[in-house]
């Protein structure tokens, strides 16, 4: 296989040279007076050195996250190459090595997220804020054996901070004036009795926003987040310890970080070469703020919001049995959210969508770890999960909607093939949808290591899973308040327009599915010497099939755009790497080379109107190299770096979403269709978010000032090659490669009692698109190309203070 088949672009040369220099200097044999602090991870469900783990892992400490202002996964991706998280119009994307689940509430994430060993597989949970973490570990590649079958792209393992043996407390605050951001943290921790400890953590975060909404005058996205967690740790006996955790969180957002951009004149001669925004303002008299159709930190919208709440109860028991440990993790987790989406993403009165979701999950994991140091060692266990999902949304078309007028005008001109005025037929109507799903899952797993000699180890693993899902979905055409349209003629006419124009087809579906899977893994590790460990892994991963929540059409429709069930996804992966310790412990350099083939890859495809349908792309391959390292240059200065090369290719994907204005390879024919309605073939193409090169370089400096003060400085350069944030790979929205700088300068009392810092993010003020797609209905209704883009926050500089007691 060829890993370096693309030409390195100029932007990427400097980071690559820096990585080569780091590697060559680290191997030069220079002596160092200091030794790096060991990083302990639980990537294999037991505490061990990062340098002993045969997996490509990035570990970020809770201290680093606090100092860098990393509040959620979206911020974490800057420090982990080949990890991407982005909010979309109606969902959330998490990608590792080019693999993610896409947009649909029926999906469980391809990147599993685990908090203290409990699965947080729902996409919405990835938006939840971080609080008082000990560390975050990002494991790349399939992690099906120990973490679960759906972790087919990788896993995020979050470990919360636990009570200590001594009392400690801290209060901290952060203030950023330009965007009105305020963060307040409180931590109290320590023993209550000789055997019982407790830890309380609280966070409140608010932000005005970094975009101006020209329509309503608000700053957006306006955030209001509050999280509280309490942990009790009881040493019940010499052999048994119990940990109980309760956490509740509310994270609400008003407005969004969306702007309309890259508009082109309509191809329809009726609009005289106007673009979409000009059509809305000129032809339909919409608010003039819609004319702001370029990126400038300002947007037009009638208003959006997202209100979220989560609750989690977790009980963790560890019981020593001889040299081993029996662990039991029982958890109950629930969340709900309500979102209003002004889903035409303009101030035009076109349509809106409100959605609600409620989810409950009960899980139990029982596992036994035999311990280490013997010829044979193993981890084996059983997992059970029961969950209930309820989702509902409603598509609204008010009487004065632009679409009502546009459809009636087209009908009067003879351009729309309906025997009646279609706009009037759907005025003051809606399309309510309801989805329910019950899921029961159990699995058994074992990972067995044979220490063949002091230098050679073989590990075999396997996980057997059984999952059953029962689901139902209904969609109807109704009045604005959701009540039934009682006039049969009016109902029939409205249904005809919804079906022909929006591909909304009323239906009521029920189905169930049952799946069994066995995922194997084999790993070989060889200690070349005491400083170099080589490893190679072959594994198969699995992600269960399920049911499409948001398809607007029935599977029985005469045109092939409706779905309900979709198939399971499988992966075959190979990874080889090296974990090296250099310069007598002053430096580390780790390398991983990987190749993964995905069969029946689950994808979400926009239907060219207002819906997304789930399907399975036949085949995809991802391959690349990941390098990371640390080097303590002096006792006061440490250099860190990471570099990744990624190559992704769809080997067989014929049913993808077409870029606006591109004639499809498969044309759909239905009432009201145009020559642009259909699917495009992406075989041989890459995927969204795939950058050839990405990485980061950091410098951490600490030194004393006199006998009472300590000076700390951190500089992080985050860089990436070009990538496309749109699933259509629309060349108009390709994100150019960039380098952005995050930095922190702090002055602290030498014993750590207090600290004052200045924290800067994106100091180069890069304009970064995190997601893009065609503006809904702009092209399908007016043949006007228009794009909506999600933008990352620009430059921010905050003051941060901490007091510990």
């Amino acid at each position: 296989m060829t890993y370096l088949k693309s030409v390195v672009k100029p932007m990427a040369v400097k980071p690559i040279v820096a990585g080569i220099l780091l590697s060559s200097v680290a191997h030069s044999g220079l002596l160092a007076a200091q030794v790096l602090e060991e990083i302990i991870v639980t990537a294999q469900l037991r505490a061990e050195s990062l340098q002993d783990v045969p997996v490509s892992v990035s570990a970020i400490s809770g201290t680093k996250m606090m100092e860098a202002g990393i509040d959620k996964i979206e911020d974490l991706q800057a420090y982990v190459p080949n990890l991407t998280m982005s909010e979309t119009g109606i969902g959330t994307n998490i990608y590792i090595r080019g693999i993610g689940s896409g947009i649909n509430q029926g999906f469980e994430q391809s990147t599993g997220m685990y908090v203290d060993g409990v699965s947080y597989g729902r996409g919405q949970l990835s938006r939840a804020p971080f609080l008082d973490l000990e560390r975050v570990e990002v494991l790349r590649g399939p992690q099906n054996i120990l973490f679960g079958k759906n972790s087919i792209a990788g896993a995020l393992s979050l470990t919360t901070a636990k009570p200590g043996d001594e009392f400690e407390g801290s209060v901290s605050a952060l203030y950023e004036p330009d965007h009105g951001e305020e963060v307040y943290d409180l931590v109290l921790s320590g023993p209550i009795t000789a055997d019982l400890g407790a830890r309380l953590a609280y966070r409140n975060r608010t932000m005005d926003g970094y975009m101006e909404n020209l329509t309503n005058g608000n700053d957006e996205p306006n955030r209001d987040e509050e999280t509280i967690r309490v942990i009790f740790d009881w040493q019940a006996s010499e052999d048994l310890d119990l940990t109980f955790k309760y956490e509740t969180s509310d994270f609400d957002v008003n407005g969004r970080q969306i702007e309309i951009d890259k508009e082109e004149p309509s191809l329809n001669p009726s609009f005289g070469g106007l673009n979409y925004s000009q059509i809305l303002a000129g032809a339909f008299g919409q608010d003039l703020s819609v004319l702001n159709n370029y990126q400038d930190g300002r947007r037009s919208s009638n208003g959006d919001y997202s209100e979220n709440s989560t609750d989690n109860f977790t009980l963790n028991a560890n019981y020593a049995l001889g040299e081993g440990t029996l662990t039991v993790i029982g958890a109950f987790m629930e969340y709900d959210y309500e979102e209003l989406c002004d889903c035409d993403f303009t101030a035009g009165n076109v349509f809106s969508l409100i959605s609600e979701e409620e989810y409950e999950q009960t899980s139990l994991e029982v596992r036994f770890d035999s311990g280490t140091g013997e010829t044979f060692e193993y981890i084996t266990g059983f997992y059970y999960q029961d969950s209930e999902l309820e989702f509902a949304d409603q598509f609204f078309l008010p009487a004065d909607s632009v679409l009502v007028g546009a459809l009636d005008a087209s009908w009067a001109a003879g351009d729309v093939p309906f025997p009646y005025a279609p706009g009037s037929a759907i005025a003051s109507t809606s399309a309510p949808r309801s989805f329910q799903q019950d899921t029961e899952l159990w699995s058994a797993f074992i990972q067995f290591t044979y220490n063949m000699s002091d230098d050679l180890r073989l590990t075999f693993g396997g996980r057997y899973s059984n999952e059953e899902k029962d689901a139902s979905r209904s969609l109807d055409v109704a009045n604005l308040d959701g009540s039934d349209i009682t006039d049969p003629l009016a109902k029939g006419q409205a249904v005809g327009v919804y079906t022909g124009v929006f591909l909304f087809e009323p239906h009521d579906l029920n189905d169930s599915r049952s799946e069994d899977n066995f995922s194997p893994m084999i790993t070989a590790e060889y200690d070349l010497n005491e400083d170099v460990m080589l490893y190679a892994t072959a594994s198969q991963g699995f992600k269960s099939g399920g049911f499409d929540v948001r398809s607007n059409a029935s599977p029985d429709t005469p045109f092939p755009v409706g779905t309900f069930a979709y198939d399971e996804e499988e992966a075959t992966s190979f990874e080889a790497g090296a974990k090296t310790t250099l310069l007598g412990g002053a430096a580390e350099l780790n390398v991983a080379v990987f190749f993964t083939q995905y069969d029946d890859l689950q994808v979400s495809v926009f239907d060219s109107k207002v819906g997304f349908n789930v399907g399975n792309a036949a085949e995809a391959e991802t391959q690349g190299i990941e390098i990371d390292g640390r080097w303590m240059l002096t006792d006061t200065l440490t250099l860190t770096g990471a570099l990744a090369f990624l190559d992704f290719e769809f080997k067989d994907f014929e049913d993808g979403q077409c870029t606006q204005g591109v004639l499809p390879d498969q044309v759909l024919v239905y009432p009201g269709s145009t020559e642009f309605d259909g699917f495009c073939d992406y075989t041989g193409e890459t995927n969204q978010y795939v950058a050839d090169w990405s990485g980061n370089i950091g410098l951490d400096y600490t030194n004393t000032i006199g006998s009472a003060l300590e000076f700390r400085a951190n500089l992080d350069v985050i860089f990436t090659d070009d990538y496309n944030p749109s699933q259509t790979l629309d060349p108009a929205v390709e994100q150019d490669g960039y380098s952005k700088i995050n930095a922190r300068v702090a002055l602290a009392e030498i014993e750590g009692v207090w600290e004052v810092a200045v924290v800067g993010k994106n100091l180069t003020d890069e304009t970064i698109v995190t997601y893009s797609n065609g503006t809904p209905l702009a092209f399908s209704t007016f043949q006007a190309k228009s794009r909506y883009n999600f933008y990352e926050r620009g430059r921010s500089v905050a003051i941060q203070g901490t007091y510990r007691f």
Side-chain angles (χ1 to χ4, degrees), residues 195-267:
D195 300 320
L196 179 65
R199 189 177 185 96
L200 171 70
Y202 171 82
R203 164 166 289 190
N204 181 281
R205 176 177 183 249
T206 59
M207 185 173 71
D208 293 338
Y210 54 90
M211 284 190 178
E212 180 187 359
N213 188 329
L214 297 175
T215 312
N216 59 27
N218 295 334
D219 289 332
E220 299 176 351
N222 178 281
R223 299 185 183 276
D224 187 357
E225 303 171 354
E226 187 172 44
T227 305
I228 186 169
R229 179 194 305 133
V230 60
I231 297 177
F232 294 99
D233 192 355
W234 179 34
Q235 189 70 42
S237 70
E238 183 179 350
D239 297 326
L240 176 65
D241 69 81
L242 301 170
T243 302
F244 172 78
K245 179 184 72 175
Y246 170 67
E247 180 177 319
T248 182
S249 180
D250 294 293
F251 47 104
D252 303 331
V253 184
N254 285 305
R256 310 185 86 173
Q257 60 273 31
I258 298 174
E259 293 188 66
I260 299 295
D261 196 14
K262 311 288 186 185
E263 293 202 324
E264 301 178 29
S266 171
L267 302 178

Side-chain angles (χ1 to χ4, degrees), residues 637-765:
L637 183 63
T638 301
L639 173 68
T640 62
L643 180 67
F645 170 76
L646 180 63
D647 176 43
F648 180 101
E649 183 179 353
F650 285 113
K651 306 303 289 186
D652 186 359
F653 182 22
E654 299 179 352
D655 302 330
Q657 175 190 342
C658 296
T659 306
Q660 296 174 102
V662 173
L663 294 175
D665 297 298
Q666 300 180 51
V667 177
L668 297 180
V669 179
Y670 55 90
S673 66
T674 74
E675 61 180 338
F676 296 104
D677 292 332
F679 299 121
C680 285
D681 189 350
Y682 282 80
T683 301
E685 299 289 343
T686 187
N687 203 0
Q688 66 184 130
Y689 304 128
V690 174
D692 288 346
W693 295 95
S694 61
N696 58 73
I697 298 174
L699 283 171
D700 296 333
Y701 177 78
T702 302
N703 207 347
T704 57
I705 301 177
S707 61
L709 298 178
E710 187 173 66
F711 175 76
R712 302 170 185 164
N714 309 95
L715 177 69
D716 296 306
V717 181
I718 298 103
F719 54 86
T720 182
D721 212 341
D722 303 345
Y723 65 87
N724 201 302
S726 172
Q727 62 203 69
T728 69
L729 305 180
D730 185 347
V733 299
E734 181 169 291
Q735 172 67 52
D736 292 334
Y738 61 82
S739 296
K740 68 176 181 179
I741 296 175
N742 295 347
R744 183 177 189 267
V745 178
L747 186 66
E749 192 269 336
I750 199 165
E751 298 295 330
V753 174
W754 58 263
E755 181 181 57
V756 178
V758 177
V759 182
K761 295 182 182 180
N762 193 8
L763 293 176
T764 47
D765 201 23

Side-chain angles (χ1 to χ4, degrees), residues 378-398:
Y378 61 91
I379 298 176
T380 186
F382 174 85
Y383 180 77
Y384 175 81
Q385 178 182 302
D386 181 83
S387 63
E388 297 179 5
L389 171 66
E390 294 184 3
F391 176 85
D393 66 5
Q394 194 165 354
F395 175 92
F396 295 95
L397 272 176

Side-chain angles (χ1 to χ4, degrees), residues 78-96:
Y79 297 90
V80 183
N82 284 345
L83 168 68
T84 302
M85 183 271 184
S86 67
E87 183 182 337
T88 72
I90 56 168
T92 305
N93 286 333
I94 305 179
Y95 280 62
I96 288 183

Side-chain angles (χ1 to χ4, degrees), residues 353 393-396 429-433 475-479 498 504:
L353 182 78
D393 66 5
Q394 194 165 354
F395 175 92
F396 295 95
T429 63
S430 68
R433 180 199 338 264
L475 179 67
D476 200 2
V477 175
N479 293 310
Y498 268 92
F504 274 80

